[in-house]
Amino acid sequence: MVTQRTSLAGLSGFLTAALVATTWPSLSHGDEPCNELDECRVLIEINASDGDIGFHVLFDAEGWRKARIVGPDGKQIFSEHARKALKDQRLTENFFESAEPLCEPELAEDPDDRVVTLPEFLARFPEGFYEFRLTIQNEGVIAGTTLLSHFIPAAPADAEFDGTDITWAYGDDLGECVTQPDGFVLAGEADIVAYEVVLTPDDDELSPFSYTVRVPASVNSVAVPSSYLASLPADAPLKVEVGAIERRPNGSFGNQTFTEEDGFCNNPDQDLCPGEEE
């Protein structure tokens, strides 16, 4: 897709407005509290449109300098240490994502593309309790556990943007990730706790200024604030992401599956932005 470019000099006015209008995403709503930690969460995220899969982690506690994560099999899968000035300053919240390899061999376009199918990924990250062990001041250790399930929601279907509203429907598959283990069952519509909705300019200079919101699972339409759309250039190309989020047994947020659709335009009166081709 060829996108319309806007000079940096002309960005200052509407980028300021975009910052005000934008809600930034955050990986929250895990276990709160997480035993002795303030919060913790592990999850599987699938991009059903691009066909990739990753492992996400969040944990939060006041004033730690060492962290370890131990999987359900008792083996350590992650560790980190704060050093020098950061060791003295101490740490609080930490969030990271794994690499996101492709989930099907057929999606690889380059010999160097990594492929990890869903069955391989689930074997690599077994379901069960993941324990966080944090070293705090005076070498004390605090711990917390959170649950990873293999209950993954289907990718939202029919994501659309009509110039004012983003709409979607409950889906029934994982998009490009078609290879699934024997006995695998998708999370049902009643097992979704929320949807995360993102509208992003499909332009390198403007892409940081996205609009993101989470809504309850009963909602399948979001009105994009007019102030946000007005902050973008007329006819700016846009893309939409909608993610279904699993409801874990304790009501917190779990695994998530996203659908992406592009080719939308910040102009409800035309189907294509200037410079785009059919």
Side-chain angles (χ1 to χ4, degrees):
M1 178 187 302
V2 178
T3 58
Q4 182 183 24
R5 308 294 292 183
T6 304
S7 69
L8 288 174
L11 294 178
S12 59
F14 67 78
L15 290 189
T16 300
L19 279 171
V20 175
T22 300
T23 302
W24 296 100
S26 63
L27 183 64
S28 59
H29 301 288
D31 290 327
E32 302 179 67
C34 174
N35 304 110
E36 298 174 292
L37 279 62
D38 295 333
E39 182 179 8
C40 63
R41 186 182 181 200
V42 297
L43 65 91
I44 298 164
E45 180 177 287
I46 291 178
N47 183 321
S49 299
D50 291 342
D52 58 47
I53 185 169
F55 183 73
H56 293 201
V57 174
L58 168 76
F59 59 95
D60 188 10
E62 186 65 34
W64 57 272
R65 64 181 186 84
K66 295 180 183 179
R68 294 190 296 149
I69 302 175
V70 178
D73 57 3
K75 296 180 180 179
Q76 180 174 293
I77 63 169
F78 174 82
S79 67
E80 69 175 346
H81 292 213
R83 304 289 187 183
K84 298 186 181 298
L86 197 55
K87 177 180 176 180
D88 294 333
Q89 185 74 12
R90 308 283 174 163
L91 299 170
T92 56
E93 185 178 57
N94 191 14
F95 163 65
F96 66 85
E97 304 178 12
S98 74
E100 297 178 332
L102 298 171
C103 59
E104 297 292 342
E106 294 78 8
L107 300 175
E109 299 179 353
D110 187 280
D112 294 329
D113 286 340
R114 293 179 59 239
V115 177
V116 178
T117 65
L118 182 58
E120 292 169 337
F121 182 92
L122 297 182
R124 179 175 292 176
F125 297 99
E127 57 185 344
F129 285 97
Y130 286 70
E131 182 179 16
F132 297 79
R133 302 172 185 172
L134 276 57
T135 301
I136 56 174
Q137 192 171 0
N138 301 324
E139 299 303 314
V141 176
I142 60 175
T145 58
T146 188
L147 178 68
L148 178 72
S149 81
H150 286 174
F151 211 36
I152 301 174
D158 304 324
E160 295 287 345
F161 176 62
D162 64 4
T164 57
D165 295 338
I166 299 170
T167 58
W168 64 94
Y170 173 72
D172 58 9
D173 60 38
L174 293 178
E176 296 290 349
C177 296
V178 295
T179 302
Q180 297 163 10
D182 292 340
F184 177 79
V185 178
L186 287 171
E189 187 170 7
D191 301 303
I192 295 173
V193 65
Y195 288 100
E196 183 167 310
V197 185
V198 185
L199 184 67
T200 305
D202 203 1
D203 178 284
D204 291 342
E205 292 177 347
L206 301 176
S207 61
F209 301 95
S210 61
Y211 173 73
T212 304
V213 65
R214 281 180 178 165
V215 295
S218 58
V219 175
N220 63 359
S221 176
V222 168
V224 180
S226 58
S227 57
Y228 169 72
L229 295 173
S231 73
L232 301 176
D235 304 327
L238 303 170
K239 62 181 178 181
V240 168
E241 301 172 64
V242 182
I245 304 175
E246 171 212 10
R247 181 194 304 275
R248 299 198 305 183
N250 65 359
S252 62
F253 288 11
N255 301 323
Q256 49 197 35
T257 305
F258 279 83
T259 292
E260 295 184 1
E261 294 289 348
D262 59 13
F264 302 110
C265 187
N266 189 25
N267 184 338
D269 297 324
Q270 60 187 62
D271 294 330
L272 294 176
C273 294
E276 291 185 331
E277 297 179 357
E278 296 274 6

